[in-house]
Amino acid sequence: MSCNREERMEKLAVQILRYARNELLVALRFMDLALCKLTYQAADVARTETDGKHLYFAPQYIFQLYREGGYTLNHTYLHSVFHCVFYHPFIDPGVDQPLWDLACDIAVESIIRELNVKQLETAMDAARAVELDALQKVYGTLTAERLYKSFEKKPPSQKERDRLQEIFQVDEHMVWYMEKESGQDGGGDQDSQDQGSGGEDLYPGWEEISERIKVDLETASQEWGKRSSSLMQNVQEVNRERYDYSGFLRKFAVLGEAMQINDDEFDYIFYTYGLSLYRNIPLIEPLEYKDVKRIREFVIAIDTSGSVKGELVQTFVQKTYNILKSTESFFSKINLHIIQCDADIQEDVKITCQEEFDAYLKTMTIKGLGGTDFRPVFRYVDELIHKGEFVNLRGLIYFTDGYGTFPERKPEYETAFLFVGDAFNNPDVPPWAIKLVLQKDEI
């Protein structure tokens, strides 16, 4: 009898959850795939929680939220779904769990607040709004990754953590840190497709959904992207293409000879045969040179306008130098120009070897700090090419915030504009240029 009662309670709770989901589907059509992704699983939990496959719930808790009336259950449902859309359950297991949980809850609540949908209103909205305004003033963009990094650098006190947790916690996250094991669905929503078990199996499915939401917000559902900048920023952050800056620089390499043994063209059979026949005289000596792809001629242009911070510029140059100085990237003799420019050319330093690069880094100062115009750099480089300063210039990297005037015509060499992605609204670059967006920690 007790078993039948529990089954009836689970089925009733599932019906209530489906009702909440349907209300959200009507209000937020761009979230349809995400809202229908989770299956329902009754479990011994204090609140709801999700691992990306199931929405775990205790029937009594669902009944409690339903009896309270209002839209608290809708809010709770969407809160958990947003965690999956932004990959929160699939975090590195070595993360500081309390800080990550807090960062994720704040980020999600910031999005829900900006959506300003009646079907999501709760009694906690006013208190959360006050805290979110204060947090935005301190941390700027409220994405989970950025908040977590800020919390790591300057952890809030335990008292402050407890206070923020009480305001922003909506669901549980313990299942995020548990080892995923295979299991059968129990009382689940058969309308949803079973995605298998384990975080690694679930991530691709949510990645596809998240990318679709991003495209939808940029096209058919632009009004939602405009209404909630936090939603747009979070979805752009998690779907941002990650770049290998070292690999990117190698695109500008050229083929040339380097003095080193060429193992690829060395024949060990004849070599060892000569040693066995003549004792100490090999028949074929190894080649002492080989063709390799390295950087010989290159231009680094630095936007020194007032909007670009000097310490970030120096960090970028240091990062580039650390990559280029390796023997796998640089020829021993190079022709590298480092040009500083705001609205006019402020400085051009020619580097021909690693020693000169070392000396430049020690004495480097930022010059200019005026307006931004990219055209003088390209005119200047074209003049250098005309004068024979460059024989085979492969490329130019322009480090900038992007707010300037671009050349109208494509230069004869490859050009990349490198932005630091703290601001999500980096301007578009001309179609002939490469756009590279890195985060501060990648620089």
Side-chain angles (χ1 to χ4, degrees):
M1 193 70 177
S2 175
C3 181
N4 291 335
R5 182 173 182 274
E6 290 180 2
E7 289 179 0
R8 290 198 302 271
M9 289 175 61
E10 290 178 12
K11 289 181 179 180
L12 181 57
V14 167
Q15 289 179 2
I16 294 172
L17 286 169
R18 286 178 179 167
Y19 179 77
R21 180 194 65 185
N22 292 340
E23 278 200 314
L24 293 172
L25 283 170
V26 172
L28 306 168
R29 291 195 175 274
F30 68 94
M31 289 287 294
D32 54 354
L33 288 180
L35 290 168
C36 295
K37 178 76 169 177
L38 299 174
T39 63
Y40 304 132
Q41 178 72 58
D44 184 16
V45 291
R47 305 173 186 241
T48 61
E49 62 178 316
T50 181
D51 57 359
K53 177 183 178 181
H54 299 298
L55 180 65
Y56 296 99
F57 67 93
Q60 291 290 358
Y61 182 67
I62 301 302
F63 300 154
Q64 175 189 334
L65 295 182
Y66 186 74
R67 284 194 298 267
E68 289 176 1
Y71 301 109
T72 303
L73 182 57
N74 295 358
H75 189 111
T76 301
Y77 196 118
L78 185 64
H79 181 103
S80 294
V81 170
F82 269 144
H83 280 317
C84 300
V85 170
F86 305 123
Y87 315 147
H88 296 164
F90 313 120
I91 190 61
D92 185 334
V95 76
D96 184 318
Q97 295 182 18
L99 288 183
W100 178 245
D101 289 345
L102 180 60
C104 292
D105 284 336
I106 292 173
V108 167
E109 287 304 309
S110 174
I111 295 166
I112 293 178
R113 175 204 179 191
E114 289 184 356
L115 287 175
N116 193 26
V117 174
K118 181 176 178 59
Q119 290 89 336
L120 297 172
E121 293 177 355
T122 72
M124 291 294 295
D125 289 351
R128 287 174 183 150
V130 172
E131 293 298 328
L132 288 170
D133 288 338
L135 289 166
Q136 283 179 334
K137 290 180 181 179
V138 176
Y139 300 108
T141 304
L142 299 180
T143 69
E145 291 78 8
R146 290 163 183 259
L147 279 170
Y148 178 73
K149 290 177 183 177
S150 299
F151 290 161
E152 271 193 317
K153 292 178 182 177
K154 189 177 180 181
S157 66
Q158 189 60 52
K159 182 179 179 181
E160 180 67 4
R161 287 192 204 184
D162 294 341
R163 188 182 70 83
L164 291 174
Q165 183 181 19
E166 184 177 352
I167 294 173
F168 290 105
Q169 185 182 21
V170 173
D171 58 357
E172 301 289 337
H173 303 159
M174 289 302 299
V175 70
W176 296 1
Y177 311 102
M178 297 168 59
E179 183 178 355
K180 309 290 192 305
E181 297 180 355
S182 298
Q184 300 294 324
D185 288 345
D189 183 0
Q190 298 302 318
D191 296 337
S192 299
Q193 182 180 1
D194 190 352
Q195 296 296 315
S197 60
E200 293 181 359
D201 297 329
L202 298 166
Y203 180 86
W206 281 106
E207 184 179 32
E208 183 178 346
I209 290 174
S210 185
E211 289 175 353
R212 176 167 171 172
I213 290 174
K214 175 178 177 292
V215 173
D216 203 4
L217 291 172
E218 293 171 344
T219 54
S221 302
Q222 287 184 11
E223 69 277 8
W224 288 108
K226 294 176 181 178
R227 180 184 293 193
S228 176
S229 60
S230 293
L231 172 60
M232 199 67 198
Q233 289 167 354
N234 273 269
V235 79
Q236 286 177 339
E237 172 84 0
V238 297
N239 291 296
R240 181 180 67 87
E241 185 176 355
R242 266 58 180 179
Y243 297 97
D244 176 6
Y245 188 44
S246 302
F248 177 76
L249 283 180
R250 285 194 287 271
K251 293 181 179 180
F252 300 99
V254 296
L255 197 64
E257 291 184 350
M259 293 298 294
Q260 65 184 80
I261 293 177
N262 188 349
D263 295 327
D264 296 334
E265 298 185 17
F266 178 62
D267 194 330
Y268 284 95
I269 296 176
F270 285 97
Y271 185 81
T272 54
Y273 177 71
L275 290 177
S276 63
L277 185 63
Y278 302 108
R279 295 192 177 181
N280 60 350
I281 303 176
L283 289 178
I284 299 175
E285 289 288 351
L287 296 178
E288 295 181 353
Y289 65 89
K290 67 181 298 186
D291 289 334
V292 294
K293 295 194 81 173
R294 293 182 185 171
I295 295 172
R296 189 188 299 276
E297 293 188 335
F298 197 60
V299 174
I300 297 175
I302 301 171
D303 176 4
T304 57
S305 63
S307 57
V308 179
K309 296 181 180 180
E311 59 182 21
L312 191 58
V313 170
Q314 291 177 318
T315 304
F316 160 71
V317 175
Q318 181 70 57
K319 168 78 171 182
T320 306
Y321 166 68
N322 291 340
I323 296 171
L324 295 180
K325 75 176 181 178
S326 67
T327 57
E328 292 300 318
S329 298
F330 251 165
F331 285 108
S332 57
K333 288 296 181 180
I334 59 169
N335 183 14
L336 171 67
H337 284 251
I338 302 178
I339 302 172
Q340 295 192 33
C341 178
D342 46 18
D344 296 296
I345 301 296
Q346 299 295 334
E347 180 184 70
D348 175 21
V349 177
K350 181 178 179 178
I351 307 292
T352 62
C353 60
Q354 290 188 14
E355 289 75 16
E356 291 178 0
F357 211 151
D358 290 332
Y360 174 76
L361 287 174
K362 292 179 181 177
T363 59
M364 178 185 178
T365 55
I366 305 301
K367 301 177 181 179
L369 303 179
T372 305
D373 191 341
F374 304 129
R375 295 171 295 180
V377 168
F378 291 91
R379 288 196 295 264
Y380 179 72
V381 172
D382 289 342
E383 291 175 5
L384 292 179
I385 294 174
H386 182 72
K387 294 176 182 178
E389 174 64 23
F390 294 109
V391 177
N392 185 20
L393 177 61
R394 292 286 295 173
L396 178 153
I397 286 187
Y398 212 129
F399 182 78
T400 176
D401 63 358
Y403 297 96
T405 306
F406 293 92
E408 295 181 357
R409 303 179 64 181
K410 180 184 183 302
E412 298 177 358
Y413 41 86
E414 292 290 337
T415 302
F417 288 90
L418 190 152
F419 308 98
V420 176
D422 281 350
F424 285 88
N425 298 320
N426 287 323
D428 292 331
V429 301
W432 45 261
I434 303 169
K435 181 177 181 179
L436 184 70
V437 182
L438 300 177
Q439 300 300 307
K440 277 187 177 181
D441 56 352
E442 295 171 325
I443 292 288

